[in-house]
């Protein structure tokens, strides 16, 4: 029997890359002889992250449309045509049994050509409001794995499978890692820890907020771990000189930082939301308004509607943040409710559930 071959495509942000790698790892565990190839966008973070995870990757010359008139937009039709052509040659050469897409423009090109060639495709949609790429690809996809309910208005109902988003396995048992986390980050065990997450690239508005309210937060007796993003480290690293403040571009040990955290302020990208449900921490979401279809606000609202998190819009931060934050952290009952409610939304077996759907497509 021939070993299976899988092409996995997704990228542009950590939110598309981590699920793709998690799915590959689970497939590899179940199909040890399988061959894998990732397809991403040239110059995007997947070109480094995927090889670091031990997989081969090929890059397409593709990027999304900008919201304003730019040279990049003028080049889009050429990039798209070349990406479709390169995808054709990759698929013809590699001959995958299934192509799996986790979002991003590169995955759109590969899945489009795969469906034209009659190769089975599986879409993994992380957000509560799907991007235009996945909506266009859905009609031809064999299976669509989603992380939120009520997506029938975007996708054919008979293809939908409510699996959840893959999250890192090391996040499953963070409660037992509190002592290790306190030692790792050299924290004071008697203080509460506030974790600030701006996503893999950082978040300008959240960074500005924390800079402005740093003394207020410290007066509430918090110690702070502030992930500001690589683009902003030079600007904010000076706050490392303050007592009880740690500023870093990127956090490698997310399991330990979640274990240490008592309260979290975060963007609401799909991966972050899924991780926070697994680790069950009281969370204030500050969605990015600068993403397609405003999907971060929709992700956050889907959690807030279950009484499982708090949402503050960027435009309301100056008026609301201090009042909302202080009211929450001083109300032990509220913190407990947020913790219990967000844990109920966790899907710890998401990766296995997605791989089960891929296996069903393989058998057809």
């Amino acid at each position: 029997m021939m070993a299976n071959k899988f092409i996995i495509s997704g990228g542009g942000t950590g939110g598309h890359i981590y699920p793709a790698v998690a799915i590959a790892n689970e497939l590899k565990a179940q199909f040890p002889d399988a061959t894998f190839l990732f397809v991403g966008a040239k110059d995007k973070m997947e070109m480094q992250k995927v090889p670091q995870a031990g997989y081969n990757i090929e890059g397409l010359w593709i990027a999304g449309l900008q919201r304003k008139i730019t040279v990049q937009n003028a080049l889009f039709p050429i990039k798209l045509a070349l990406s479709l052509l390169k995808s054709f040659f990759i698929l013809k050469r590699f001959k995958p049994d299934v192509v799996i897409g986790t979002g991003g423009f590169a995955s759109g090109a590969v899945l489009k050509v795969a469906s034209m060639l009659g190769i089975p495709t599986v879409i993994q949609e992380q957000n509560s409001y799907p991007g235009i790429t996945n909506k266009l690809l859905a009609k031809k996809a064999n299976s669509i794995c989603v992380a939120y309910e009520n997506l029938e208005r975007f996708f054919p109902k008979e293809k939908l499978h409510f699996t959840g988003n893959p999250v890192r396995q090391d996040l499953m048992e963070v409660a037992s890692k509190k002592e290790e986390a306190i030692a790792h980050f050299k924290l004071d065990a008697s203080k509460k820890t506030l974790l600030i997450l701006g996503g893999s690239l950082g978040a300008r508005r959240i960074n500005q907020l924390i800079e402005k309210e740093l003394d207020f937060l410290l007066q509430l007796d918090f110690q702070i771990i502030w992930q500001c993003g690589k683009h902003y480290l030079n600007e904010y690293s000076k706050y490392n000189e303050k007592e009880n403040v740690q500023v870093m571009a990127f956090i490698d040990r997310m399991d330990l930082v979640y274990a240490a955290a008592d309260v979290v302020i975060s963007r609401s990208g799909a991966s972050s939301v899924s991780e926070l449900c697994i680790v069950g921490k009281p969370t204030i979401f500050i969605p990015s308004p600068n993403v397609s279809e405003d999907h971060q606000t929709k992700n956050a609202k889907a959690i807030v509607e279950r009484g499982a998190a708090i949402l503050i819009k960027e435009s309301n931060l100056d008026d609301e943040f201090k009042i909302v934050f202080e009211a929450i952290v001083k109300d032990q009952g509220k913190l407990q409710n947020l913790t219990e409610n967000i844990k109920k939304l966790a899907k710890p077996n998401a990766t296995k559930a997605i791989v089960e759907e891929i296996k069903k497509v393989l058998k057809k």
Side-chain angles (χ1 to χ4, degrees):
M1 190 175 161
M2 294 268 293
N4 291 110
K5 291 181 169 187
F6 299 100
I7 280 182
I8 302 178
S9 183
T13 67
H16 293 315
I17 299 162
Y18 294 127
V21 171
I23 292 165
N25 290 343
E26 183 60 33
L27 281 167
K28 198 173 185 179
Q30 296 196 32
F31 298 93
D33 299 328
T35 311
F36 295 86
L37 177 65
F38 277 70
V39 179
K42 280 181 180 173
D43 307 323
K44 293 291 186 180
M45 62 193 288
E46 58 264 30
M47 302 309 290
Q48 284 80 45
K49 296 287 181 190
V50 168
Q52 282 168 13
Y55 296 99
N56 294 328
I57 186 166
E58 292 205 30
L60 304 179
W61 188 46
I62 187 87
L65 287 164
Q66 308 296 309
R67 292 188 173 192
K68 49 189 184 290
I69 296 167
T70 64
V71 175
Q72 292 284 355
N73 281 354
L75 289 171
F76 181 77
I78 301 163
K79 288 184 175 184
L80 180 61
L82 290 172
S83 293
L84 291 167
L85 189 63
K86 187 170 182 182
S87 297
F88 175 82
F89 288 120
I90 289 170
L91 290 161
K92 280 293 191 186
R93 185 184 73 240
F94 190 77
K95 297 184 173 65
D97 297 295
V98 182
V99 178
I100 301 132
T102 62
F105 281 91
S107 95
V110 183
L111 266 74
K112 174 69 177 166
V113 177
S115 61
M116 287 165 68
L117 293 172
I119 300 166
T121 61
V122 175
I123 290 171
Q124 195 265 321
E125 172 57 64
Q126 295 109 37
N127 291 296
S128 61
Y129 194 93
I132 189 165
T133 309
N134 281 350
K135 282 192 272 190
L136 291 171
L137 294 166
K139 287 188 183 71
K140 295 289 174 69
N142 295 66
S143 184
I144 304 165
C145 298
V146 296
Y148 291 87
E149 292 171 312
N150 306 316
L151 293 190
E152 295 84 358
R153 63 191 193 277
F154 304 113
F155 296 134
K157 189 175 180 179
E158 68 280 4
K159 296 179 182 181
L160 278 182
H161 304 282
F162 180 41
T163 57
N165 279 328
V167 297
R168 301 167 237 234
Q169 284 302 114
D170 60 1
L171 300 184
M172 298 301 172
E173 286 299 324
V174 298
S176 63
K177 299 179 182 179
K178 183 96 175 182
E179 280 183 33
E180 186 189 348
I182 286 166
H184 181 85
F185 290 105
K186 300 181 175 64
L187 296 166
D188 179 343
S190 67
K191 280 184 176 290
K192 296 275 190 199
T193 302
L194 171 63
L195 171 62
I196 294 132
L197 298 171
S200 50
L201 303 174
R204 180 191 298 279
R205 188 65 187 90
I206 291 179
N207 288 337
Q208 289 170 341
L209 171 78
I210 301 307
E211 180 177 47
K212 181 180 165 223
E213 306 296 0
L214 199 54
D215 290 334
F216 160 75
L217 296 169
L218 292 169
Q219 281 161 16
L220 290 169
D221 209 27
F222 276 97
Q223 53 198 343
I224 295 169
I225 298 176
W226 176 4
Q227 182 253 319
C228 66
K230 62 179 182 179
H231 298 314
Y232 301 102
L233 188 62
N234 289 343
E235 196 175 341
Y236 296 104
S237 59
K238 61 189 175 190
Y239 293 108
N240 277 317
E241 293 166 18
K242 272 189 178 280
E243 196 178 355
N244 295 316
V245 179
Q246 296 181 50
V247 184
M248 47 195 85
F250 193 78
I251 300 167
D252 287 320
R253 291 296 304 269
M254 286 305 294
D255 59 329
L256 293 186
V257 86
Y258 282 132
D262 294 289
V263 181
V264 182
I265 294 171
S266 176
R267 283 298 200 207
S268 46
S271 288
S272 298
V273 173
S274 297
E275 289 180 2
L276 287 159
C277 290
I278 292 284
V279 299
K281 300 289 174 171
T283 301
I284 296 173
F285 286 122
I286 303 173
S288 169
N290 308 313
V291 292
S292 60
E293 322 274 4
D294 196 20
H295 66 248
Q296 285 204 8
T297 299
K298 292 169 178 125
N299 291 347
K301 279 183 174 173
I303 306 301
V304 172
E305 283 163 6
R306 308 285 185 92
I310 304 297
L311 186 160
I312 308 177
K313 289 187 172 183
E314 274 197 3
S315 55
N316 298 339
L317 282 173
D318 289 337
D319 295 332
E320 292 182 11
F321 177 75
K322 284 170 86 164
I323 300 161
V324 171
F325 185 84
E326 191 165 5
I328 292 164
V329 301
K330 289 187 172 177
D331 184 341
Q332 205 50 48
K334 179 70 171 171
L335 290 172
Q336 189 61 36
N337 275 343
L338 289 171
T339 298
E340 288 169 6
N341 291 343
I342 202 167
K343 277 184 176 174
K344 288 175 191 167
L345 304 179
K347 294 288 240 176
N349 300 313
T351 314
K352 283 186 167 65
I354 292 162
V355 167
E356 285 307 309
E357 294 308 323
I358 293 167
K359 284 158 71 176
K360 287 177 194 170
V361 170
L362 265 178
K363 287 173 186 170
K364 284 178 182 173

